[in-house]
Amino acid sequence: MKTSVIGFPRIGRNRELKFASEKYFAGKISEAELLLTGRMQREFNLKTQKNAGIDFISSNDFSFYDNVLDTAFLFNAVPQRYKDLGLSTIDTYFAAARGYQGDKGNVKALAMKKWFNTNYHYIVPEIDDDTKIELVGTKPLDEFTEAKALGVDTKVALIGPFTFLKLARFTGKKSAEDFSSVLTTEYIKLINKLASSGASVIEFDEPYLVRDLNEKDITLFETIYKQILSGKGVLQIFLQTYFGDIRDIYKNVVSLDFDAIGIDFVEGRKSLELVKANGFPKGKILIAGVVNGKNIWKNNYGKTKKILDDLSSIVSEDALVVGTSCSLLHVPYTLESETKLPASYKAHFAFAEEKLIELSEIASSDSAAFAKNAELFANRPDVLDRAVKERVSGIREEDYTRLPVFEEREKIQKQLLGLPLFPTTTIGSFPQTEDVRRYRKDFKNGEISEAQYVAFNEEKIRACIKKQEEIGLDVLVHGEYERNDMVEYFGEHLSGYVFTEKAWVLSYGTRCVKPPIIWGDVSRKEPITVRWSVFAKSCTDKPVKGMLSGPVTILNWSFPREDISLLESTLQIALAIRDEVLDLEKNGIGIIQIDEAALREKLPLRKSDWYSEYLDWAIPAFRLVHSGVKPETQIHTHMCYSEFTDIIPAIDSMDADVITFEASRSDLLILDALKENNFKTEVGPGVYDIHSPRVPSVDEIVGQLKKIREKTEDSKLWINPDCGLKTRGEAETNAGLKNLVAAAKIIREEK
Ligand code: GLN
Ligand code: ZN
């Protein structure tokens, strides 16, 4: 069998592209130097894949910022305001990606959104009625030709026109349908140019096909591809899908004249069923995405072989290609960079480079490799923790319910806490200044003693509390100085996690994240945050809010295990955090916030899966964390996106007492939806956008609050920024919070 890879990470084994780009943004290197780094990165990727014996290697999977933005620039779907800056091509591109502020003007960046259900973010193309779609770029041609000169005959990977149109934002009257014909024509021009440059295979990536599709979508897709496929000549056209199955369009897709169809058998729950039930046309290639492009565990060859055997009874063996389930962009480069992980752990992981070996071994049915793989899975040196397993299976139905009910708790808490109307608070973190990061690092590296580190942190906390008192906030926080990241910090303090040194994964642009790995059963060794919260409380008479990360977020921002269910993992984490909640309560912390910043983000791509595949266990897991507290203890939660208009009942049934969320940039539509749904939880819609260094004025916040009050009961309204302040500077934070408190005073007095 042959092998195929959809895409390879591009940031660089040692994040070379990140550092070069950031130097270029800072004006420290020239455009030519940046381009050279890009070229070297591409060359490295091509050679790595070629040396691993991969048959179908992509070109054009590289990007200096984002492939969707590349596609927009390729076809001239670039808003005029960026062109008007009069910058070079690459700087116009970066202006659209990152915004521009300088002597040529001041424009905000295009919007950024999550790429399907990954932690990668793409730039949303903006198309208005005057946009003239036209092939103006040469990137795919250049990268194909460059690869060829390096001796690698690639398939040219393009984001398909259907997905591109579905992801674009149409700001005028026209819609996707109005642009589909001209866009198709321009894609065909590109295909012809590629063909004359010697390309023989073009891969259209159409991940949008795994979403819920309606008749109109299907018609749009068919119209586009009938036209593209009718003139393909000797070129081979591959259709590549990923992130799920294509149940709504499978039959249509297989009856079109594609030469190959790539299907995801990892996340595509129904993929195998679809192929079995509907068959697969003779003469076409099926690229079976069986090597997981999103997780870092070794492939279980035995299981994979079963899928391939099933498929080969339907598709002839020479028409079956072994592929990745999606681009390898979503996993780190290589285990070779991990010098601290013991070999016994590494044996169980496969990053991008190791996944190439897996593809070859699976494709060649290498019996020695299969035997070794089987042995590995038979002898997984798990840190199985029987106590954890027993605890999870001992969870009772009533453990998911907090009593008394919300309305009663609300009364008790209002009386006990005695907070003013419109209480003010923050989301938890305060600016992570240079000294904070330095102390944490020095402590980690053993350069300062624990006593020194603790003394430093306590000093920070004391000052932070004092500042908050001066500003006049009502519910104070300790500032989260001890945390690098809201998930890594908890991971480091829980058993069952392992950490990497260089396992970076691209999140957006040049920003990478390093998710911890859930290796074994998760449990809490000892209290994690209690000492800091208790110290903070000792510095003030005002209420101090304890700060925790929630189980769903901790899971979603880690590499999860594949040998147990996400539910089981989440419950293990939930029990660990539950212990922390109860310890905080026992130590006199009467308000506890459990952040679920990433809860919204893993909502399944198909609406029909939202509850059964996710919310039905994620929400109870959250409740399990706080159901054991006393009625007096006020539970807060925080979510980073206000885009939960369509799952409001689920959010309400998290049964927190207060929820804060981002609302300062959105249009407050969420508040209408809350009202319509009789949302019971008290709310703090963020009135201060902490993602920008801009300080909102008192008037602005008062204005915002006026609008909010039209839609929210006064007795349920909290006033707070829209997220943690850790990325902000101290001066702007103080100014912003002062204005926020002043605005609260004004509206209280108006009452
Ligand atoms: N408590 C965290 C903080 O304030 C929340 C971070 C987040 O929502 N991403 O930083
Ligand atoms: Zn947030």
Side-chain angles (χ1 to χ4, degrees):
M1 280 182 275
K2 289 191 169 167
T3 51
S4 177
V5 171
I6 299 173
F8 210 69
R10 57 178 180 249
I11 202 74
R13 258 185 163 202
N14 294 303
R15 291 183 292 162
E16 292 85 348
L17 184 62
K18 171 196 174 70
F19 297 121
S21 305
E22 287 171 356
K23 276 191 199 142
Y24 177 74
F25 299 153
K28 291 191 185 134
I29 63 168
S30 68
E31 178 179 333
E33 284 169 284
L34 175 62
L35 296 183
L36 180 66
T37 306
R39 202 171 64 74
M40 280 164 45
Q41 228 27 73
R42 290 193 295 272
E43 179 171 345
F44 176 83
N45 284 2
L46 290 167
K47 295 209 162 137
T48 304
Q49 293 176 84
K50 181 155 187 199
N51 292 341
I54 301 301
D55 299 293
F56 295 106
I57 299 171
S58 286
S59 55
N60 199 40
D61 58 339
F62 176 83
S63 179
F64 277 109
Y65 209 90
D66 168 52
N67 298 96
V68 180
L69 185 64
D70 294 337
T71 311
F73 270 74
L74 181 63
F75 293 111
N76 197 35
V78 180
Q80 194 58 36
R81 59 183 184 277
Y82 300 111
K83 295 183 187 168
D84 287 346
L85 293 169
L87 301 165
S88 68
T89 312
I90 194 161
D91 286 344
T92 309
Y93 172 82
F94 285 134
R98 312 173 59 239
Y100 177 90
Q101 190 166 16
D103 48 1
K104 304 247 163 86
N106 187 350
V107 273
K108 280 210 303 201
L110 286 171
M112 196 162 70
K113 266 208 177 143
K114 288 181 68 64
W115 176 243
F116 297 85
N117 52 2
T118 70
N119 197 16
Y120 175 76
H121 301 70
Y122 69 96
I123 303 283
V124 184
E126 203 179 285
I127 298 178
D128 64 33
D129 291 351
D130 299 328
T131 302
K132 195 172 173 311
I133 300 287
E134 189 185 353
L135 176 67
V136 291
T138 54
K139 179 177 181 287
L141 285 156
D142 300 342
E143 290 180 17
F144 169 78
T145 314
E146 176 190 270
K148 193 144 194 195
L150 290 166
V152 188
D153 193 6
T154 54
K155 62 178 158 80
V156 184
L158 302 173
I159 294 202
F162 176 73
T163 295
F164 180 75
L165 287 172
K166 294 303 288 182
L167 297 182
R169 230 183 95 212
F170 294 89
T171 57
K173 293 207 178 71
K174 294 190 189 165
S175 64
E177 279 72 17
D178 299 310
F179 286 96
S180 75
S181 159
V182 51
L183 183 63
T184 308
T185 310
E186 298 305 303
Y187 264 92
I188 292 173
K189 274 190 203 156
L190 174 65
I191 296 170
N192 291 337
K193 283 195 178 175
L194 284 164
S196 13
S197 310
S200 54
V201 181
I202 302 201
E203 170 189 298
F204 283 95
D205 283 13
E206 291 285 10
Y208 206 90
L209 294 186
V210 310
R211 304 199 70 131
D212 290 319
L213 302 176
N214 58 30
E215 280 305 313
K216 213 171 135 196
D217 296 324
I218 295 175
T219 308
L220 180 64
F221 181 84
E222 286 190 325
T223 314
I224 291 171
Y225 280 98
K226 276 183 187 155
Q227 205 183 329
I228 287 179
L229 294 164
S230 69
K232 66 176 177 171
V234 292
L235 259 182
Q236 291 209 304
I237 305 272
F238 288 13
L239 173 72
Q240 184 64 58
T241 66
Y242 38 87
F243 301 144
D245 60 65
I246 53 171
R247 65 187 86 149
D248 293 339
I249 201 166
Y250 181 84
K251 286 189 200 159
N252 314 63
V253 156
V254 291
S255 65
L256 286 166
D257 197 15
F258 290 109
D259 297 282
I261 299 172
I263 296 175
D264 176 355
F265 289 89
V266 174
E267 275 192 284
R269 262 189 308 126
K270 299 213 166 160
S271 293
L272 194 55
E273 206 179 303
L274 281 168
V275 180
K276 281 186 182 166
N278 300 291
F280 193 82
K282 292 243 147 12
K284 282 193 206 309
I285 296 170
L286 173 66
I287 306 170
V290 288
V291 169
N292 194 345
K294 275 187 175 175
N295 209 342
I296 45 72
W297 296 94
K298 262 229 163 101
N299 188 284
N300 185 331
Y301 291 178
K303 277 195 183 157
T304 298
K305 189 168 180 321
K306 269 221 184 79
I307 301 174
L308 295 173
D309 285 347
D310 271 0
L311 289 174
S312 59
S313 66
I314 304 163
V315 187
S316 62
E317 190 147 323
D318 56 340
L320 199 54
V321 170
V322 184
T324 53
S325 67
C326 61
S327 168
L328 296 175
L329 177 70
H330 311 292
V331 288
Y333 266 83
T334 176
L335 280 165
E336 270 178 29
S337 304
E338 300 304 322
T339 59
K340 292 189 186 141
L341 265 183
S344 56
Y345 284 69
K346 281 210 246 183
H348 291 267
F349 301 143
F351 295 176
E353 291 181 21
E354 292 77 28
K355 283 179 194 281
L356 301 176
I357 302 170
E358 293 190 329
L359 286 167
S360 299
E361 289 181 349
I362 295 168
S364 61
S365 301
D366 177 334
S367 55
F370 268 68
K372 204 171 147 213
N373 185 272
E375 200 185 300
L376 188 75
F377 276 87
N379 299 309
R380 189 172 188 261
D382 272 318
V383 265
L384 280 185
D385 190 331
R386 217 166 282 283
V388 173
K389 289 232 151 55
E390 271 164 24
R391 214 179 146 197
V392 169
S393 58
I395 299 172
R396 297 157 308 163
E397 210 35 53
E398 54 263 41
D399 295 330
Y400 293 107
T401 309
R402 182 175 175 201
L403 288 172
V405 295
F406 173 85
E407 290 73 14
E408 278 178 51
R409 295 186 326 247
E410 194 180 28
K411 263 182 242 144
I412 298 171
Q413 290 164 15
K414 278 218 187 310
Q415 216 182 8
L416 182 84
L417 292 167
L419 295 169
L421 186 64
F422 311 124
T424 54
T425 190
T426 63
I427 308 304
S429 60
F430 267 70
Q432 294 251 331
T433 39
E434 226 290 301
D435 55 337
V436 174
R437 268 174 278 154
R438 183 160 30 91
Y439 265 84
R440 213 169 41 222
K441 197 164 153 225
D442 288 352
F443 175 52
K444 215 174 193 171
N445 296 339
E447 279 158 33
I448 56 169
S449 70
E450 177 162 2
Q452 278 171 302
Y453 178 65
V454 169
F456 169 79
N457 264 348
E458 291 189 345
E459 222 20 75
K460 281 303 244 196
I461 292 171
R462 195 193 310 279
C464 184
I465 292 283
K466 187 155 167 262
K467 186 104 253 149
Q468 293 172 78
E469 285 183 331
E470 279 165 18
I471 292 172
L473 288 155
D474 301 308
V475 173
L476 314 190
V477 297
H478 74 284
E480 299 183 20
Y481 298 110
E482 73 285 5
R483 303 182 193 176
N484 36 3
D485 168 277
M486 65 184 287
V487 168
E488 200 174 17
Y489 176 74
F490 283 90
E492 279 169 356
H493 289 81
L494 294 170
S495 309
Y497 265 94
V498 297
F499 298 87
T500 55
E501 288 162 84
K502 292 197 172 174
W504 296 100
V505 177
L506 194 59
S507 173
Y508 66 86
T510 59
R511 203 185 137 76
C512 301
V513 293
K514 196 153 60 66
I517 301 171
I518 303 179
W519 168 262
D521 292 319
V522 176
S523 64
R524 191 188 71 146
K525 291 169 275 206
E526 58 202 356
I528 303 170
T529 64
V530 176
R531 74 173 306 160
W532 307 120
S533 291
V534 166
F535 179 79
K537 192 165 187 304
S538 74
C539 301
T540 180
D541 294 329
K542 288 206 164 178
V544 169
K545 178 163 72 164
M547 284 298 148
L548 304 173
S549 296
V552 185
T553 297
I554 294 181
L555 181 91
N556 283 350
W557 284 346
S558 307
F559 284 118
R561 280 166 66 172
E562 287 179 347
D563 60 328
I564 65 170
S565 68
L566 294 180
L567 168 64
E568 167 91 18
S569 273
T570 313
L571 291 178
Q572 293 183 358
I573 302 169
L575 288 173
I577 303 297
R578 178 184 167 99
D579 292 345
E580 186 73 12
V581 167
L582 293 174
D583 274 340
L584 282 170
E585 183 183 60
K586 218 186 291 159
N587 283 279
I589 306 297
I591 303 181
I592 301 166
Q593 178 171 309
I594 307 156
D595 289 325
E596 282 294 13
L599 187 126
R600 170 67 178 73
E601 119 179 6
K602 278 280 154 68
L603 207 56
L605 294 173
R606 288 176 189 276
K607 235 178 180 160
S608 47
D609 292 341
W610 281 5
Y611 282 84
S612 59
E613 296 294 311
Y614 184 64
L615 294 170
D616 284 350
W617 56 263
I619 303 290
F622 180 85
R623 284 202 305 265
L624 179 63
V625 175
H626 69 86
S627 64
V629 299
K630 294 182 283 192
E632 295 84 344
T633 300
Q634 189 171 61
I635 298 294
H636 290 216
T637 189
H638 165 73
M639 286 173 58
C640 281
Y641 306 90
S642 56
E643 284 170 22
F644 49 81
T645 319
D646 33 18
I647 52 163
I648 285 171
I651 304 298
D652 221 11
S653 66
M654 291 166 81
D655 204 22
D657 298 304
V658 181
I659 177 167
T660 58
F661 52 85
E662 175 257 307
S664 53
R665 279 199 286 190
S666 57
D667 43 21
L668 301 180
L669 276 180
I670 177 79
L671 298 175
D672 292 315
L674 294 180
K675 200 169 173 182
E676 275 160 34
N677 286 278
N678 290 320
F679 198 67
K680 67 175 188 332
T681 315
E682 296 187 6
V683 291
V687 289
Y688 163 15
D689 174 13
I690 63 87
H691 304 91
S692 151
R694 221 180 126 256
V695 174
S697 70
V698 179
D699 282 353
E700 193 180 325
I701 301 177
V702 170
Q704 180 88 346
L705 286 167
K706 268 201 186 118
K707 282 193 236 150
I708 293 174
R709 284 176 64 199
E710 284 166 18
K711 302 176 180 195
T712 312
E713 273 174 60
D714 283 351
S715 64
K716 288 202 185 281
L717 185 58
W718 286 67
I719 302 181
N720 44 264
D722 67 356
C723 197
L725 295 157
K726 66 167 175 248
T727 55
R728 293 273 62 88
E730 279 183 321
E732 71 218 31
T733 294
N734 292 340
L737 291 177
K738 268 187 200 147
N739 291 352
L740 183 141
V741 169
K745 280 208 181 103
I746 291 176
I747 66 162
R748 273 176 208 147
E749 279 157 17
E750 278 174 4
K751 276 288 287 181

